[in-house]
Amino acid sequence: MFLICGEALFDLFGEAGSGDSVSFDARIGGSPFNVAMGLARLEEDAGFFGGISRDALGERLVQKFRSEGVSERYILRTDYLTTLSLVQKDEHGSPAYTFYGENAADRMVTVDDLPQFDEPPLFLHIGSYTALVEPVSAAFRALIERERDHTLVSFDPNIRPTVVPDMALWRRNTESLVPLTDVVKVSDEDLALIAPGEPIETIARAWLGMGASLVIVTRGGDGATAFAEGIEVSRPGIKVTVEDTVGAGDTFQAALLAGLKHLGATDRDALAALDAGQLNRLLDFAVGAAAITCSRRGADLPRRSELEKEWSALK
């Protein structure tokens, strides 16, 4: 199982109405939620660990997991409220987020809430603001430290300045998690926020030196670059008519994890043994999946049937 840890929330897409009114199109979201859903749509065994409210919106979140085939076995239901994220897009379709989630269900997970496993997950994935804000970040770190001897760990910093504006704190937290992580996926936009002016290759190589086996930097419509020991490969983006980019990074992440399993990289030795050709194909698969999401409104991640050609070419 891929166990995805983090937040599940509602994105509110605002549209100015007549007079003083603003209408909202509410969509289920949250980066880890999207990654779990994306894996399930790629026909992988995915579960979710995080706090979800018992309120009406929390019920919708759990129902969505059920309908998508994501295991709810490890979901923590609480009486805290559901986080709301106000999404505003720029002229290129790129989203900016404002979060309403202080003391919300996704943040109020503690070490005492950690699940026990009959079998360890194949991958533990964490990311976004629940990897930073307390008490949930301490709980996730404790889970990684407990399980990392027999599971691979994936991390996407997914910087959210409107949740925590201190970029130095984001950087310190990211660099404290990298040594516990096997696979790091990060966008060039996030690196520009936490390490302005520093060359991407320098940062990636530093993270490899801290203990990560694979660092992948996504570059929006320009594709992605993978860094491993002695390897650097890049693949271009795919041109599509962009509706918006909401969920594109999460789609890339889900495809990345599914692709690693498909390549047999399910332990540290196999992950370290990936060659340049395999990494090129892995990037092509993940970039192709993300392009589909960009062509649709919101985080509408692709299903396996939409990527059969790319899936077959992966090996």
Side-chain angles (χ1 to χ4, degrees), residues 273-285:
L274 291 174
D275 61 30
Q278 290 171 310
L279 291 176
N280 272 320
R281 295 194 296 275
L282 181 63
L283 292 182
D284 282 338
F285 178 63

Side-chain angles (χ1 to χ4, degrees), residues 4-286:
I4 312 305
C5 307
E7 68 265 20
L9 50 82
F10 267 80
D11 289 321
L12 303 181
F13 294 83
E15 300 286 349
S18 59
D20 296 330
S21 68
V22 178
S23 61
F24 292 97
D25 179 11
R27 300 288 184 97
I28 288 172
S31 175
F33 182 101
N34 292 337
V35 174
M37 181 176 66
L39 282 162
R41 289 188 174 189
L42 293 173
E43 301 179 12
E44 298 292 345
D45 183 13
F48 181 84
F49 171 57
I52 294 184
S53 178
R54 294 190 183 94
D55 65 15
L57 295 178
E59 285 299 320
R60 294 292 297 270
L61 292 170
V62 173
Q63 289 171 13
K64 181 62 173 176
F65 273 142
R66 288 173 187 157
S67 68
E68 294 286 350
V70 176
S71 172
E72 60 187 281
R73 178 177 180 182
Y74 302 111
I75 291 175
L76 176 68
R77 302 301 301 274
T78 74
D79 291 329
Y80 297 105
L81 298 178
T82 300
T83 292
L84 300 178
S85 168
L86 181 61
V87 185
Q88 296 172 296
K89 297 184 296 182
D90 65 18
E91 65 272 18
H92 304 295
S94 297
Y97 300 87
T98 303
F99 288 87
Y100 299 85
E102 201 68 34
N103 296 320
D106 53 10
R107 302 191 191 196
M108 302 305 290
V109 179
T110 71
V111 173
D112 292 337
D113 299 317
L114 296 183
Q116 299 295 324
F117 307 118
D118 297 329
E119 293 184 16
L122 186 66
F123 269 92
L124 277 174
H125 173 74
I126 66 168
S128 198
Y129 65 81
T130 46
L132 175 67
V133 299
E134 299 291 355
V136 61
S137 63
F140 288 166
R141 186 183 297 265
L143 181 63
I144 289 171
E145 291 173 342
R146 192 189 80 189
E147 297 294 329
R148 72 182 306 270
D149 286 346
H150 38 259
T151 192
L152 294 174
V153 179
S154 167
F155 173 44
D156 175 7
N158 208 354
I159 309 303
R160 292 288 182 255
T162 51
V163 176
V164 177
D166 186 346
M167 291 298 104
L169 181 59
W170 279 101
R171 178 163 187 169
R172 288 196 302 271
N173 187 68
T174 296
E175 293 183 344
S176 73
L177 283 167
V178 166
L180 303 175
T181 302
D182 300 291
V183 178
V184 183
K185 191 276 289 183
V186 63
S187 71
D188 57 354
E189 291 180 344
D190 285 347
L191 290 180
L193 288 171
I194 65 172
E198 293 187 37
I200 286 173
E201 180 179 0
T202 300
I203 299 168
R205 293 294 173 194
W207 289 357
L208 292 174
M210 292 177 186
S213 294
L214 178 62
V215 177
I216 293 181
V217 180
T218 58
R219 295 178 279 106
D222 293 327
T225 301
F227 299 87
E229 187 64 35
I231 300 175
E232 178 181 339
V233 297
S234 294
R235 300 302 295 163
I238 296 174
K239 292 191 180 299
V240 296
T241 300
V242 176
E243 176 65 26
D244 63 46
T245 62
V246 177
D250 305 327
T251 304
F252 188 103
Q253 182 71 62
L256 170 64
L257 293 175
L260 286 171
K261 179 188 171 189
H262 194 53
L263 289 169
T266 56
D267 59 49
R268 291 189 175 93
D269 288 341
L271 183 63
L274 291 174
D275 61 30
Q278 290 171 310
L279 291 176
N280 272 320
R281 295 194 296 275
L282 181 63
L283 292 182
D284 282 338
F285 178 63

